[in-house]
Amino acid sequence: MNDFYSICDDILIEELKPALGCTEPIAIALASSSARRVLNKMPNHIHVLCSGNIIKNVKSVTVPNSGGLKGIEAAAILGVVAGDPRLSLEVLSNVSDEEREITRKLLSEKGFCTVELKEGVAGLYISVSLESDGDIVTALIKDCHNEVSSITRNGEVVEGNKAFEADGSADIENKKALLTVEKIVDYAINADLKNVYQALKDQWVLNENIAKEGLTDSYGAEVGKTLLKYYDKSDVRIRARAKAAAGSDARMSGCPLPVVINSGSGNQGLTVSLPVIEFGQDLNKSEDEIIRALAVSNLVAIHQKKYIGPLSAYCGAVSAAAGASAGIAFLYTHDIGTISNSISNTLASVGGIVCDGAKASCAAKISSALDAAIMGFELTDDNNKSFHSGDGLVKDNVEKTIETFGKVGKDGMRETDIEILHLMMDA
């Protein structure tokens, strides 16, 4: 097998994981349930120490299977009471009514669970400490939502994730550094995809399921349903946006259905997949052709995030939508120029939308980003009416454009991220 094809396989297998609910509260529940397993008894106190981006992304979303509870304390307590850390990002899949009631009672106890901002760390950082009669167990998650990097008991390391330590996070990041749009397209055209076919198919099936749920029931602001009500639902462009938005509507409101994520995010997983599937089906493409387009959309989104990082003030719907634009373009043509221009056009249109946490309006941002993504492809498909080098942050090739927007997201918006967090905590 081509070495680069193997690298793409490894990245997709690592990134495309099923997750139940918004990944930030789920990561907190994973940490607290992992600590509870080692403590092996109910704590009398929980202390959560986390980065600003975690606080921002947990504040306003419903914790799945919680009975409508929101926030860091709810996620941490439910993880202790009912979480199964063996299920990774589906840690809260099996919660009973009794466990929900216990969680509510503990949540009402003043001081049972305390939360503190961890200063001086960026992105993804979660430390959950459980205390019982002077015995303290701490589980740490950093950089990757589904990896518990260490568990300590009274200051002594009792468990470390061997995969994480040996070749997990650092190795995958090194592999991501090798991604380029041209190589991604070559992989999607020529690799057999047998090692990643099931992961991509799972993304197709699970993400379609939650989109249907979002379009059927009442969740959040009902962005997906609104698109189909007021716009032409016979238009594939509208259906593509509506499905992705509806999936987010459901996720952000605590729907207990899993999604397959991208770059640690369920919303990004929905955004890179559902529009590509909808366009593929509208074009009567084969399952294999759609799967290959999904490989493009997922890898292009991951390629951008290697510059931005897992969490920042830069809305992940934008990088995911740029990935979707590439996947849609791939369904029409394998021309690298068209695919590259679709990505650049998307970033030129909506690059820099701020992330003000995970919440109902994420669905609206997904819809807006995908509107730009679809137009981004149509601009380049229609006599190459694309944005060109010198138009703002657009550079003379797609790799430079991706890197430039990545730097804006990671470095340029760092102060924006801090200000957003302060404003949200004052609310």
Side-chain angles (χ1 to χ4, degrees):
M1 178 188 288
N2 180 303
D3 286 344
F4 183 75
Y5 296 174
S6 178
I7 286 169
C8 288
D9 284 354
D10 290 345
I11 292 170
L12 288 173
I13 290 167
E14 177 64 26
E15 289 282 344
L16 272 59
K17 300 287 180 64
L20 185 75
C22 179
T23 45
E24 279 72 52
I26 288 297
I28 290 172
L30 177 59
S32 67
S33 65
S34 298
R36 165 66 195 273
R37 179 179 55 80
V38 173
L39 185 65
N40 200 30
K41 54 187 172 182
M42 274 298 292
N44 50 39
H45 180 243
I46 302 172
H47 184 67
V48 184
L49 185 64
C50 51
S51 60
N53 275 289
I54 296 296
I55 292 175
K56 184 174 72 173
N57 280 351
V58 182
K59 179 177 181 288
S60 301
V61 291
T62 302
V63 180
N65 284 330
S66 68
L69 300 176
K70 294 182 179 182
I72 292 172
E73 294 92 338
I77 295 172
L78 191 60
V80 166
V81 172
D84 184 348
R86 296 171 298 180
L87 300 178
S88 189
L89 294 179
E90 296 179 274
V91 59
L92 297 179
S93 293
N94 304 305
V95 182
S96 68
D97 289 339
E98 181 183 3
E99 288 167 331
R100 276 186 279 272
E101 184 58 31
I102 292 170
T103 299
R104 286 184 180 277
K105 288 180 179 178
L106 292 173
L107 191 58
S108 68
E109 291 184 14
K110 187 176 181 180
F112 176 74
C113 182
T114 54
V115 178
E116 182 182 353
L117 171 66
K118 172 70 172 177
E119 301 282 0
V121 293
L124 202 168
Y125 183 98
I126 300 166
S127 172
V128 178
S129 297
L130 309 184
E131 183 174 357
S132 179
D133 301 321
D135 197 12
I136 301 175
V137 173
T138 300
L140 175 65
I141 289 178
K142 59 179 182 178
D143 301 325
C144 183
H145 291 80
N146 64 324
E147 295 281 8
V148 179
S149 56
S150 68
I151 301 178
T152 61
R153 188 169 205 144
N154 302 322
E156 298 290 329
V157 176
V158 294
E159 288 188 23
N161 188 309
K162 293 181 180 179
F164 182 95
E165 294 169 354
D167 61 7
S169 180
D171 185 51
I172 286 295
E173 292 307 312
N174 289 335
K175 290 176 179 179
K176 290 177 187 177
L178 302 175
L179 292 174
T180 68
V181 174
E182 186 171 4
K183 288 180 179 179
I184 289 168
V185 172
D186 173 66
Y187 166 77
I189 295 171
N190 296 308
D192 60 30
L193 302 189
K194 65 180 180 181
N195 294 327
V196 298
Y197 199 93
Q198 191 59 53
L200 291 163
K201 183 66 176 180
D202 287 346
Q203 186 182 58
W204 182 339
V205 172
L206 293 180
N207 293 6
E208 283 260 283
N209 286 345
I210 199 168
K212 290 175 184 176
E213 175 68 14
L215 289 172
T216 302
D217 212 332
S218 177
Y219 291 99
E222 299 186 0
V223 175
K225 293 172 78 172
T226 299
L227 283 166
L228 295 184
K229 179 178 179 180
Y230 290 101
Y231 296 85
D232 181 6
K233 62 183 176 183
S234 69
D235 188 337
V236 65
R237 302 168 184 84
I238 301 302
R239 296 198 308 273
R241 292 165 58 195
K243 280 195 169 181
S248 179
D249 284 327
R251 280 191 73 246
M252 297 294 93
S253 297
C255 175
L257 288 177
V259 303
V260 172
I261 64 177
N262 178 288
S263 303
S265 164
N267 279 344
Q268 290 172 59
L270 294 166
T271 305
V272 298
S273 60
L274 292 170
V276 175
I277 295 163
E278 193 65 26
F279 268 85
Q281 292 174 332
D282 190 72
L283 293 167
N284 294 315
K285 296 294 184 179
S286 68
E287 179 174 293
D288 182 74
E289 289 172 308
I290 296 173
I291 289 290
R292 291 179 182 278
L294 286 174
V296 171
S297 60
N298 277 282
L299 286 170
V300 168
I302 292 165
H303 177 30
Q304 296 167 79
K305 293 291 283 188
K306 76 186 185 188
Y307 295 111
I308 301 168
L311 297 172
S312 74
Y314 187 100
C315 178
V318 173
S319 50
S325 186
I328 292 167
F330 184 84
L331 290 167
Y332 284 86
T333 176
H334 294 170
D335 176 64
I336 188 65
T338 300
I339 295 168
S340 297
N341 285 338
S342 297
I343 297 166
S344 293
N345 289 344
T346 304
L347 295 176
S349 300
V350 291
I353 291 177
V354 298
C355 172
D356 52 343
K359 70 286 182 215
S361 64
C362 288
K365 292 186 180 185
I366 287 170
S367 173
S368 297
L370 285 172
D371 187 27
I374 294 165
M375 183 182 70
F377 162 64
E378 292 171 340
L379 282 172
T380 192
D381 190 49
D382 183 15
N383 298 318
N384 199 30
K385 294 177 182 175
S386 299
F387 302 115
H388 302 291
S389 178
D391 290 341
L393 295 176
V394 177
K395 300 299 180 182
D396 58 6
N397 67 68
V398 69
E399 298 304 331
K400 290 181 181 177
T401 300
I402 288 172
E403 183 177 3
T404 298
F405 277 93
K407 287 180 178 178
V408 168
K410 184 176 182 179
D411 300 325
M413 298 178 76
R414 187 173 288 121
E415 292 300 318
T416 301
D417 205 23
I418 294 170
E419 187 61 25
I420 288 171
L421 177 62
H422 289 163
L423 291 169
M424 287 181 68
M425 292 180 74
D426 287 342

